[in-house]
Amino acid sequence: WAAEEYYEGAPLAQVLKSRSPLNTLQALELGIKISEALAHAHGKGVAHGLLTTESVSVLGSLAVKVADFQILYAMAPAGTRDARYCAPEILSGEAPSPQSDIFSLGVILYELMTGRRPFTAEQAMDIALDRNYEAPAAPADLNAHVPPLLNSVILKALKPRPASRYETASDLLSELLLCRSSIVRSLNRERFQEQSMALKPSIPPPARAADPPPPPPRDRDLSLDDLGKSLDLDGDMDTGQYRKRQIFAIAAVAILIATFAGIGGFLFRSCGGIRDNLGTGESGVVQVPNVVNLDETEAKFKLGHADLKTEIEKVYSADVPEGLVIRQDPPAGKKVKVGRTVKLIVSLGDQELVVRDLRKMPLREAEQLAKDMGFRVEVEREYSESVALDHVVDQLPKPGEKSSAGKLIKLFVSNGPEPREIDMPDLIGKNINDVHRILAENGIPYGDIKSVPTNAYDVGVVVSQSILPGTRVNTKSMGDVQIFVAEPAAGGAGGVSPDDDPFYDGDNAADSKLKKKNMNVTVTQDGSEVVVEVVDRNGRSEAYRGRHNGGETVPLSLEGRGDVFVKVFINGRLEQQVKF
């Protein structure tokens, strides 16, 4: 069981049966009171869950009580809830939220203004299941007394997607208060005109064949006085007293008209008849209002109220719900001439795109193609044994799936094979094309290829490498291996003489002479392996190999025939080259 406050009042459903539809101002006042109650509850973190005309009671002076917060929702099985007032997400099984309450209030506002609900129970279920959604008839089409702004406010509250409705009940309340102010201003203008007409002398109308048809009925005697009375509206003030007040009011109006006519004529002559708009202080100039994030209809109404025209351009947007203004030009706050056109960029909502296959493409090409399709791109690196370095391994969304323009597409890009420890392969004597393949297969990084002039090797063959073959290396931390490739060497001016060719295989006497050299190698790191390689006319040979600690000096006695080149490797890396 549950206990609630006792109060005297009639359910809104009963009031609507006996008096539906109410006049516009009465109906709007009830909607404002319900919005105030919801805004207060939402501020405390409480959503109603199942707001209907049965859970709203009307007291005297148009006061309302909103009851059954969470009670009807919790106690009523899903199949027994009144679907005509339920937001689509509630019918789909989601928990109540401020947006679901705003939808239910939109249904009540629609019913207050038109005397009927926007959806049948069957239509409500179709909306919840994303089947055959058809927007309800505009309230203004069913009740000519509903002004454009109020019409758009109600339709926005009834949007099927929660993100397209008002974000909070306070936002909806602000719009309803603006609608009430607009209606009150309109009523005051009408009454002023009627009282002004009563002061004019009665002039017999010219003879005519027949009387014109009577004017359309007014909005059931739309009256500001109704706001201060209870719903029975039976009380009337004393007729004689009312008559005296009416005569006094007419006389006062006459004096005001005469006074303002004189002042107005003076101002019109002084200012050339040009008015100052929206408090800008400049004649014929208005300040552009902010309409970003408003519904297109609301934006047009707001700009039209400021004497500005509109031009609409619609674009797809993954971030802004359909029908809302994304941006405006001129921007809000800018002063422009009356009648200026404001361009509005309005969202068409998400645009579904079919994702292309970007796998195995080079990263730069795949990125550009994804951006051309309208996606944002995020790159994540991973190792791959089968996909080349800097090529796309995989992607999300997958090829053929649908996504929206502006959404993120994630590219998984190859970093090459996973790092591992290997023995440095012997590349000397191999063609450079084969060397590229060997290095790629083993995940060995390498820098620029350097050329060595020599006639001892064919062009394009590797003659030297900066890491000694057989050295144990980690492919991630080893750094680049330096590769030296043979290029033609010609004797004479500008060429390379046989004496400067470390690989020259000559047979003259000078080349056969044995040469000797003593040198020292200093070690800086404990446990370092020192390997010394000699290249002379007889080819390549290992002259020394040993391990030493930091600070030790290794004495070397070296010899060779012809031009002798000495290469010193420490821990597999070329550290020193000497020619003698």
Side-chain angles (χ1 to χ4, degrees):
W1 58 273
E4 291 189 330
E5 175 189 2
Y6 173 79
Y7 47 82
E8 292 184 358
L12 180 56
Q14 180 181 331
V15 173
L16 288 174
K17 284 181 182 179
S18 61
R19 299 180 56 84
S20 179
L22 302 173
N23 74 47
T24 305
L25 202 52
Q26 286 176 329
L28 179 56
E29 186 66 17
L30 289 173
I32 288 172
K33 296 292 178 60
I34 300 171
S35 295
E36 289 174 342
L38 288 182
H40 179 77
H42 293 171
K44 302 293 184 181
V46 178
H48 189 284
L50 197 57
L51 183 68
T52 70
T53 51
E54 292 289 349
S55 53
V56 177
S57 294
V58 183
L59 287 63
S61 300
L62 291 184
V64 301
K65 287 282 187 179
V66 180
D68 303 328
F69 276 87
Q70 291 284 341
I71 295 176
L72 289 179
Y73 176 81
M75 296 179 64
T80 63
R81 296 167 186 157
D82 194 339
R84 298 170 299 177
Y85 293 91
C86 286
E89 61 269 23
I90 294 294
L91 295 176
S92 298
E94 295 184 20
S97 68
Q99 278 68 40
S100 65
D101 284 352
I102 288 170
F103 183 93
S104 299
L105 178 52
V107 175
I108 293 174
L109 285 168
Y110 191 101
E111 190 173 358
L112 284 168
M113 296 300 164
T114 67
R116 73 183 202 187
R117 302 175 193 89
F119 306 108
T120 64
E122 292 76 13
Q123 288 172 327
M125 291 304 301
D126 283 344
I127 296 171
L129 298 173
D130 288 331
R131 301 183 309 203
N132 304 323
Y133 171 70
E134 185 176 346
D141 293 341
L142 303 176
N143 181 356
H145 298 291
V146 176
L149 181 57
L150 179 56
N151 185 72
S152 64
V153 168
I154 296 172
L155 291 178
K156 182 173 180 178
L158 290 172
K159 293 284 187 181
R161 293 175 52 186
S164 300
R165 302 173 204 148
Y166 290 98
E167 187 173 351
T168 66
S170 296
D171 294 339
L172 174 56
L173 175 61
S174 298
E175 295 290 290
L176 293 177
L177 291 172
L178 179 63
C179 293
R180 185 175 69 181
S181 298
S182 176
I183 293 173
V184 169
R185 285 196 302 269
S186 177
L187 281 174
N188 287 338
R189 283 196 299 270
E190 288 182 15
R191 288 185 171 182
F192 184 81
Q193 291 170 358
E194 289 174 359
Q195 291 169 345
S196 299
M197 291 296 294
L199 295 175
K200 292 184 178 181
S202 177
I203 301 175
R208 54 192 173 196
D211 290 333
R218 295 181 59 191
D219 187 10
R220 301 184 66 243
D221 296 322
L222 192 62
S223 171
L224 289 176
D225 296 334
D226 292 338
L227 298 182
K229 299 179 182 179
S230 64
L231 276 174
D232 59 19
L233 301 175
D234 290 332
D236 287 321
M237 65 175 66
D238 177 74
T239 305
Q241 185 181 10
Y242 176 79
R243 184 65 179 170
K244 292 176 184 177
R245 291 174 60 181
Q246 186 180 43
I247 294 171
F248 176 78
I250 292 174
V253 168
I255 295 171
L256 286 173
I257 289 174
T259 303
F260 283 117
I263 296 173
F266 172 76
L267 291 176
F268 188 86
R269 288 190 298 272
S270 301
C271 300
I274 301 175
R275 62 190 177 90
D276 166 27
N277 290 280
L278 298 182
T280 61
E282 300 176 38
S283 299
V285 173
V286 294
Q287 196 171 47
V288 179
N290 184 16
V291 296
V292 173
N293 291 327
L294 292 185
D295 183 87
E296 179 184 344
T297 304
E298 296 175 76
K300 286 181 178 178
F301 179 84
K302 196 169 183 179
L303 292 170
H305 189 68
D307 290 335
L308 296 171
K309 299 177 183 177
T310 54
E311 176 188 341
I312 304 296
E313 179 182 342
K314 297 194 175 184
V315 299
Y316 290 103
S317 172
D319 302 316
V320 180
E322 181 181 358
L324 299 190
V325 177
I326 301 172
R327 57 184 179 274
Q328 64 182 79
D329 183 31
K334 185 172 182 179
K335 295 178 181 179
V336 298
K337 291 183 178 180
V338 170
R340 170 77 179 270
T341 297
V342 178
K343 185 174 183 179
L344 303 181
I345 308 299
V346 178
S347 172
L348 286 171
D350 290 350
Q351 179 187 20
E352 283 197 337
L353 301 172
V354 178
V355 180
R356 290 185 56 179
D357 191 351
L358 306 175
R359 294 172 298 183
K360 296 191 177 180
M361 285 188 182
L363 172 59
R364 183 173 297 180
E365 180 182 338
E367 273 188 309
Q368 188 58 52
L369 188 56
K371 290 176 181 177
D372 290 344
M373 287 190 290
F375 295 113
R376 294 180 293 113
V377 179
E378 179 181 303
V379 174
E380 183 175 316
R381 292 276 183 171
E382 63 180 37
Y383 296 111
S384 173
E385 300 294 331
S386 58
V387 179
L389 180 68
D390 291 331
H391 284 61
V392 177
V393 179
D394 204 355
Q395 65 185 79
L396 286 176
K398 297 288 187 181
E401 292 182 353
K402 291 184 178 180
S403 188
S404 303
K407 289 290 183 69
L408 184 71
I409 186 168
K410 194 169 187 177
L411 301 179
F412 299 89
V413 179
S414 173
N415 261 344
E418 188 170 2
R420 59 188 186 277
E421 286 196 350
I422 61 169
D423 291 332
M424 184 67 196
D426 189 350
L427 307 174
I428 297 174
K430 294 181 172 61
N431 185 276
I432 188 61
N433 294 326
D434 294 332
V435 168
H436 282 306
R437 177 181 53 78
I438 293 170
L439 294 175
E441 288 175 352
N442 288 278
I444 298 173
Y446 58 95
D448 295 336
I449 307 298
K450 292 190 176 181
S451 298
V452 176
T454 179
N455 291 321
Y457 287 88
D458 291 335
V459 175
V461 172
V462 174
V463 298
S464 183
Q465 60 190 79
S466 63
I467 298 179
L468 196 65
T471 302
R472 195 72 176 169
V473 294
N474 184 296
T475 56
K476 182 177 182 180
S477 60
M478 63 180 289
D480 291 347
V481 62
Q482 195 72 53
I483 307 297
F484 301 88
V485 179
E487 70 174 11
V496 179
S497 68
D499 290 341
D500 294 326
D501 184 350
F503 308 104
Y504 179 67
D505 192 19
D507 56 0
N508 56 43
D511 291 331
S512 62
K513 183 178 178 181
L514 183 65
K515 296 179 181 179
K516 295 184 179 182
K517 182 177 179 64
N518 295 324
M519 61 181 291
N520 295 323
V521 174
T522 301
V523 179
T524 60
Q525 185 177 350
D526 287 349
S528 296
E529 183 183 46
V530 179
V531 177
V532 180
E533 189 178 81
V534 174
V535 180
D536 65 357
R537 61 165 295 176
N538 295 323
R540 184 177 60 175
S541 62
E542 186 177 294
Y544 178 84
R545 181 185 292 267
R547 288 194 175 274
H548 298 272
N549 291 323
E552 292 183 9
T553 299
V554 182
L556 299 172
S557 295
L558 306 170
E559 61 181 29
R561 295 186 181 277
D563 288 326
V564 181
F565 289 82
V566 179
K567 296 182 179 182
V568 179
F569 295 87
I570 298 179
N571 293 327
R573 289 196 169 276
L574 181 62
E575 299 291 343
Q576 189 177 358
Q577 290 191 89
V578 178
K579 177 185 176 183
F580 67 90

